[in-house]
Amino acid sequence: MARCRNDHIEPPSPGQVGRLVGKAVKDFEAQFCRSRVERISHATRSRLEDMVADSEDEKGEAADGEGAVSRGGRSHFAELKADPGAPGLESLLAEVNKLQRVRRLELPADLFADVSEKLVDA
């Protein structure tokens, strides 16, 4: 605002500022995602896409033979994001299964090494 006054130009409206900031955030997120995707192999990209895709054949099985939709009708990706629930043997085994599924993706260990944990969480 001070710079606009000093330069004798009309400052942007709050709505314009919101749109500019929103576009900058969106552009940053797109560039961030592109830079991460470029660091993973084609095979890993394919496995990620298969995990996220809701495409399944008539029997509910993905191309790799695993069910694309698992317990409760949720996709594997939705299941990975789900809360583990109450502590117990069943929830522990479900979390171990999630970890094994993620490991099968073969993501590079340093994929997010150069970014803050806050950004990865977002």
Side-chain angles (χ1 to χ4, degrees), residues 18-106:
R19 286 190 297 276
L20 288 170
V21 170
K23 181 173 178 354
V25 168
K26 187 176 179 180
D27 289 348
F28 171 79
E29 289 172 347
Q31 186 278 328
F32 174 75
C33 289
R34 274 192 305 274
S35 71
R36 298 306 110 177
V37 168
E38 290 171 356
R39 295 175 67 177
I40 59 177
S41 70
H42 180 70
T44 298
R45 286 182 214 174
S46 179
R47 286 190 290 271
L48 277 169
E49 288 171 4
D50 289 346
M51 181 180 286
V52 175
D54 288 331
S55 61
E56 57 178 303
D57 63 19
E58 298 169 354
K59 297 177 185 173
E61 292 186 352
D64 64 359
E66 289 187 29
V69 176
S70 55
R71 184 175 35 121
R74 295 185 298 188
S75 70
H76 287 309
F77 187 69
E79 225 178 271
L80 284 175
K81 296 185 332 179
D83 186 79
L89 180 59
E90 186 177 325
S91 63
L92 174 66
L93 294 175
E95 293 304 302
V96 168
N97 187 27
K98 289 180 188 180
L99 179 59
Q100 289 171 339
R101 220 178 287 149
V102 170
R103 285 184 174 162
R104 282 193 299 261
L105 293 174
E106 298 177 4

